[in-house]
Amino acid sequence: MHDNPAQDDYQWPVCVTPRCGRQLWVAEAGRYVCRPCEDLTNKHLAELGPLFRRLNETATLMRGARRPGGATSGSRTPPIPPRLEVLALTANGGVATRLQAIEDSWRQALGWETPVAVEERTTFPVTRDTAGRTQVGRPVKGDRVYPHWRTQTAAKSVPAHLTFLTNNLPWAVSSYESIGQDIDDLRRLHAECVAVAANEHRPGRVSIGRCPARYNDGTLCRADLTATASSHRVHCGACGARWETLNEWRQLRSAQEAVLSTDAGVAA
């Protein structure tokens, strides 16, 4: 006869991806991420390549610019491309940089060497002499030396980053503890690219007060809550409380007013 101890405090493992929290199946034992989140991330990685190529086209960048021959202010300087949100994704600090940051963290966890930000080490430094000829090697006096980011194009680095992340995603979902945050970053990046490619203008968020939810010990959350006109859902990022229906919105407002009244009474 087996005398197994009670395990009332046992918590079934859940997916670490933010906004998910699904309980893992028995077949998913030993994983950090559920299979639906892994499949969705694979889909995002497969779509990011075509999305980036579309954003990196001149037609997408200049969409909405003034037509040639139109009225001008007299300046001979061309206007700045109006779609600065496209530049934010295609230039330094955009898609390529954000993908490289995830790749570097995975390489570090795997114990692999992190490559420098140049396409070929043998072609650095890239210099241009006084006659305008481009050459490589050690610069001499009078040569102009170009930094790393001038010798690397995002059009080549983005596919390489996506290939690395796709190939190593099965390892990450099972062995990399911080994979949940990386999956959420990839989701946000994919959503930004889709919105910019579709020329969507997302409404801004407005503050609607503080969170009136209480923790298990009875203390108030008091985190700042925001809402947007594009969604009727309100989610507290601190405690996880949600208000989604019209009745729940009314309950939220009543709870906030009750907290304000209590605070006013204490202050008086």
Side-chain angles (χ1 to χ4, degrees):
M1 180 176 180
H2 297 284
D3 186 13
N4 296 324
Q7 296 182 350
D8 296 337
D9 58 343
Y10 177 76
Q11 295 182 352
W12 195 266
V14 298
C15 178
V16 300
T17 304
R19 304 160 62 101
C20 179
R22 294 188 184 96
Q23 288 188 346
L24 299 179
W25 292 88
V26 175
E28 297 173 331
R31 293 166 54 99
Y32 289 108
V33 175
C34 64
R35 295 194 183 278
C37 285
E38 180 184 1
D39 294 340
L40 183 59
T41 304
N42 265 318
K43 180 175 179 291
H44 288 164
L45 290 172
E47 294 176 352
L48 273 173
L51 280 170
F52 179 79
R53 289 194 296 270
R54 180 178 175 185
L55 293 176
N56 205 30
E57 294 175 351
T58 304
T60 304
L61 180 64
M62 298 300 296
R63 185 178 300 158
R66 292 183 300 179
R67 295 181 178 179
T72 63
S73 60
S75 174
R76 295 180 178 273
T77 304
I80 296 177
R83 303 206 64 193
L84 298 181
E85 68 275 16
V86 178
L87 285 176
L89 290 171
T90 57
N92 297 319
V95 174
T97 302
R98 292 162 70 175
L99 291 177
Q100 182 178 355
I102 298 176
E103 177 179 340
D104 289 348
S105 64
W106 290 14
R107 286 182 177 274
Q108 184 177 5
L110 286 165
W112 295 352
E113 182 180 0
T114 301
V116 296
V118 291
E119 294 176 8
E120 297 180 9
R121 297 187 181 185
T122 57
T123 63
F124 183 82
V126 178
T127 60
R128 180 171 295 173
D129 58 19
T130 55
R133 294 187 298 269
T134 301
Q135 53 189 350
V136 297
R138 182 179 298 276
V140 297
K141 185 176 180 180
D143 288 350
R144 184 175 180 180
V145 181
Y146 292 86
H148 289 228
W149 60 268
R150 291 289 297 276
T151 64
Q152 184 184 37
T153 60
K156 293 184 178 180
S157 61
V158 166
H161 295 321
L162 291 174
T163 299
F164 177 89
L165 296 179
T166 301
N167 291 341
N168 291 278
L169 182 62
W171 161 83
V173 298
S174 300
S175 305
Y176 186 50
E177 189 173 356
S178 301
I179 182 59
Q181 186 59 51
D182 289 341
I183 287 180
D184 193 53
D185 291 342
L186 290 171
R187 178 191 62 80
R188 293 175 182 272
L189 179 60
H190 178 270
E192 291 176 27
C193 291
V194 170
V196 173
N199 200 21
E200 296 178 0
H201 297 280
R202 296 189 173 185
R205 306 190 69 87
V206 295
S207 176
I208 59 172
R210 295 185 178 275
C211 177
R214 294 182 180 273
Y215 292 101
N216 295 333
D217 59 358
T219 58
L220 286 169
C221 176
R222 296 184 182 275
D224 291 327
L225 296 177
T226 60
T228 177
S230 64
S231 175
H232 58 276
R233 296 179 176 86
V234 176
H235 173 239
C236 178
C239 69
R242 293 178 180 271
W243 298 267
E244 299 185 355
T245 64
L246 179 60
N247 185 45
E248 290 178 349
W249 271 61
R250 292 171 178 169
Q251 294 175 3
L252 169 61
R253 185 58 180 169
S254 298
Q256 288 178 324
E257 291 176 349
V259 172
L260 290 175
S261 299
T262 302
D263 291 344
V266 172

